[in-house]
Amino acid sequence: MTFRWTLAAPMLLAACSTQPAVPDASEAYVRLAAIPGRPAAGYFLLHGGAKDAVLVGAEAPGAARAELHTSRRTGNGMASMDSIARVAVPARGRVAFAPGGQHVMLFGLPASVAPGSTLPLTLRFADGSATLVAARVIAAGDAAPE
Ligand SMILES: [Cu+2]
């Protein structure tokens, strides 16, 4: 019996090289606030898809609301945050949501969202598409997961 790999192999290679249309996210985690009831912050790395995209919102199950924020230093060295409506995700580019920079602020998370649990974050784009990423939940003082 002879197997016919000659046809199948090039098709597999083609599948691997296609970029997904929608950006996807990795390395997601949510850092809970030190004070219960205060908002948590979500971080992740966005990988641009085949086309430019614009992140316009986020959601998490049970959260009262989620906002896109960016941190900045004020003149007196204090940290402050601004709400942002849109974040450009260039095709094949990388956009980091990281401490000290852009993040998703999660308000009113239920008590079940505790360190060690996983919170699915839905990231919504201007064209109506969305990407889902599982974020590891960590305590306020924990280091970012590897
Ligand atoms: Cu914030």
Side-chain angles (χ1 to χ4, degrees):
M1 189 193 262
T2 313
F3 289 96
R4 294 172 146 243
W5 289 109
T6 44
L7 263 174
M11 288 168 65
L12 286 171
L13 286 175
C16 289
S17 62
T18 9
Q19 195 88 10
V22 180
D24 81 352
S26 66
E27 295 162 49
Y29 66 99
V30 166
R31 184 176 272 132
L32 298 175
I35 301 162
R38 299 299 304 273
Y43 305 109
F44 44 83
L45 186 59
L46 275 172
H47 307 265
K51 299 180 299 182
D52 290 352
V54 178
L55 180 68
V56 293
E59 287 162 28
R65 77 181 192 279
E67 293 178 1
L68 305 179
H69 279 188
T70 189
S71 300
R72 66 187 162 85
R73 293 259 158 215
T74 58
N76 56 11
M78 300 288 283
S80 172
M81 291 188 294
D82 296 314
S83 167
I84 41 178
R86 309 161 65 81
V87 176
V89 186
R92 295 175 187 83
R94 285 179 152 223
V95 178
F97 276 63
Q102 296 172 126
H103 55 275
V104 170
M105 198 104 265
L106 297 158
F107 296 88
L109 282 176
S112 57
V113 180
S117 66
T118 300
L119 186 67
L121 292 179
T122 300
L123 306 174
R124 299 208 174 276
F125 299 95
D127 67 355
S129 64
T131 232
L132 186 69
V133 64
R136 276 180 61 181
V137 178
I138 63 171
D142 289 348
E146 293 292 306

